[in-house]
Amino acid sequence: MRLAFLLVIACSSPLAAQSSRLGAEIDRRAALVEGKVVTWRRDIHAHPELSNREVRTAQIVAEHLRALGLEVRTGVAHTGVVGVLRGGRPGPVVALRADMDALPVTEEVDVPFASKVRATYNGQDVGVMHACGHDAHVAILMGVAEVLAAMRRDVPGTVKFIFQPAEEGVPAGESGGAAMMIAEGALDDPKPGAIFGLHVFPYPAGEIRYRAGALMASADGLRIVVRGRQTHGAQPWSGIDPIVVASQIVMGLQTITSRQVDITAAPAIVTIGAINGGVRNNIIPDSLVMIGTIRAFDAGVRRDIWMRVRRTAENIAHSAGAVAHVTIDSGPPVTYNDPALTERMTPTLRRVAGAGNVGMAEAKTTAEDFSRYQEKIPGLFFFLGITPPGTDPRSAAPNHSPRFFVDEVAFPVGVRALAHLAVDYLTSTH
């Protein structure tokens, strides 16, 4: 028994020593790029670009990766950039991803590099802001690329850097995002065995939160057109009122998650966000349009809700002599962290941030199209806290707010986390 134990130690010691040496080198080089990461982030923040319009950002990324000696492919899913770093030693392939797009939000944060950019979004003049922190994601991953490129001789395998456009959703009539990145080969030649990504979030700065299994919800667009029969508002019996029918449908939809779905198994949400119809107070319109969102944490529950939404809307409309046309736009699936991969890599997160600064995240009903990659290969997505010390995270402006603020002190943790995850995965995969 003692001999077997000694043999195990003897075989594992070189691997442990190698991992420790590479880890120390990552930390040293991460400290060297800290200032660059901040500079990149501020520049990108001051020049935000909407989904599928990330031309300047993509150019900055591509030029940086080329300068590092990576194989670079541009124009993926319109403006996406994929860089490949081939290590000096043979090994597996791992991917790291950052999203690049900003939001149609007018910034209200008082910083010298605040966005003053305006653009047209779906026909409207809007302010543009990195209100979800994608500027930080890009800068952090650029820093990771510089760290690992400087160590390429010792990297045991290949690292793919995926800079993705349109995570926030594409403009009307366009395609893009993670699904298009995958369709255009972002995960091919070579194919990664795993993918890692992070998202800044109003947790305390420098802290990391993760969760095995379902971390973020699926997000599906819902559109219901209710067709009745137009008539005078003073004679409702002469027509079929789609407004009353729509009101009944809204109430009926709420019973799906409150009475029909087992919410102890997986939470779910059906929300109607807008109802548009009619032009005068005394005209019952011929039709109206309702739009909303469906959120779920389980693929089976998600499909079940689709069926129930259609049945509820169509049958309520039929009972009134109206017709309901239901369209469900399948969006990002559940962001699902592979349990085995998560368990395997959690020690890396604790080593990087400190065990006391790593904890379990609550499931989020927001969505992320990082989940598209997780449908193809195992993935781990985690949150990086960016709320300044002295600010209660519960009162901090949330992502997508015009007052969303990122404390840059968290960036070194982000750079080290992604770099260590990549190298630890490559080193421990056989």
Side-chain angles (χ1 to χ4, degrees):
M1 179 69 73
R2 177 174 174 76
L3 177 60
F5 175 76
L6 291 175
L7 286 173
V8 170
I9 294 298
C11 291
S12 62
S13 292
L15 182 62
Q18 171 189 319
S19 179
S20 177
R21 180 173 59 82
L22 290 176
E25 185 67 4
I26 288 172
D27 292 343
R28 185 181 77 83
R29 293 192 175 276
L32 295 177
V33 303
E34 181 177 342
K36 290 184 178 181
V37 172
V38 170
T39 299
W40 291 326
R41 182 262 167 163
R42 293 184 179 185
D43 176 63
I44 295 169
H45 187 91
H47 301 90
E49 296 169 300
L50 294 173
S51 302
N52 280 354
R53 309 291 187 270
E54 308 91 339
V55 176
R56 181 181 184 275
T57 306
Q59 181 178 358
I60 291 171
V61 169
E63 290 177 354
H64 177 63
L65 298 184
R66 288 193 183 103
L68 296 175
L70 274 63
E71 302 167 21
V72 178
R73 181 183 169 201
T74 60
V76 186
H78 304 301
T79 58
V81 180
V82 177
V84 178
L85 172 66
R86 299 188 188 274
R89 299 169 49 219
V93 183
V94 67
L96 304 174
R97 175 269 204 171
D99 38 11
M100 302 189 296
D101 52 330
L103 287 161
V105 173
T106 301
E107 180 155 15
E108 297 178 7
V109 182
D110 185 17
V111 292
F113 49 92
S115 169
K116 302 295 190 296
V117 173
R118 299 196 67 82
T120 300
Y121 179 77
N122 287 343
Q124 298 184 52
D125 178 69
V126 296
V128 184
M129 176 193 176
H130 271 292
C132 203
H134 296 186
D135 53 336
H137 303 169
V138 172
I140 286 171
L141 194 55
M142 288 173 67
V144 175
E146 183 157 332
V147 167
L148 296 184
M151 301 169 51
R152 61 162 50 84
R153 183 175 62 181
D154 296 320
V155 172
T158 299
V159 183
K160 296 191 79 169
F161 296 89
I162 298 174
F163 291 85
Q164 177 206 308
E167 188 281 327
E168 297 290 357
V170 298
E174 298 184 20
S175 58
M180 191 172 181
M181 291 286 290
I182 294 168
E184 296 190 0
L187 294 181
D188 302 330
D189 191 29
K191 181 177 181 178
I195 186 168
F196 300 106
L198 62 75
H199 204 299
V200 295
F201 197 80
Y203 291 122
E207 293 192 7
I208 287 175
R209 296 287 184 270
Y210 74 97
R211 185 183 189 87
L215 173 68
M216 302 178 77
S218 58
D220 304 311
L222 173 61
R223 176 184 171 90
I224 303 174
V225 178
V226 180
R227 299 195 181 281
R229 188 169 66 246
Q230 185 165 319
T231 188
H232 199 294
Q235 297 176 320
W237 55 85
S238 299
I240 299 173
D241 191 340
I243 294 177
V244 172
V245 173
S247 301
Q248 293 172 329
I249 290 174
V250 170
M251 297 307 296
L253 293 178
Q254 301 314 302
T255 69
I256 293 175
T257 54
S258 68
R259 291 295 182 268
Q260 300 178 43
V261 174
D262 181 2
I263 60 170
T264 65
I269 293 170
V270 179
T271 292
I272 296 298
I275 302 177
N276 296 296
V279 293
R280 279 180 62 98
N281 70 322
N282 64 346
I283 298 176
I284 291 173
D286 195 60
S287 65
L288 60 74
V289 178
M290 310 161 61
I291 55 174
T293 185
I294 300 171
R295 306 287 169 127
F297 287 96
D298 177 85
V301 171
R302 181 190 190 194
R303 291 190 296 270
D304 183 56
I305 289 176
W306 291 353
M307 179 275 293
R308 294 177 186 276
V309 166
R310 293 183 187 280
R311 183 180 67 186
T312 299
E314 291 171 356
N315 287 350
I316 287 176
H318 180 73
S319 71
V323 176
H325 299 283
V326 179
T327 302
I328 297 175
D329 180 16
S330 178
V334 178
T335 302
Y336 186 86
N337 286 333
D338 181 86
L341 180 66
T342 302
E343 181 179 8
R344 174 180 163 188
M345 305 313 299
T346 298
T348 298
L349 297 177
R350 290 176 177 155
R351 189 175 72 249
V352 167
N357 295 318
V358 177
M360 192 73 68
E362 64 273 20
K364 309 290 184 188
T365 50
T366 50
E368 239 290 347
D369 76 353
F370 183 84
S371 54
R372 300 286 191 189
Y373 305 106
Q374 292 174 312
E375 286 186 311
K376 305 298 182 181
I377 57 177
L380 170 59
F381 195 71
F382 60 95
F383 296 113
L384 173 65
I386 42 75
T387 299
T391 300
D392 185 348
R394 294 171 298 183
S395 64
N399 301 66
H400 290 215
S401 165
R403 293 172 295 282
F404 181 68
F405 179 80
V406 173
D407 189 341
E408 295 163 341
V409 73
F411 291 178
V413 177
V415 171
R416 292 175 56 238
L418 288 178
H420 277 277
L421 284 170
V423 169
D424 286 359
Y425 175 84
L426 294 175
T427 302
S428 61
T429 300
H430 303 285

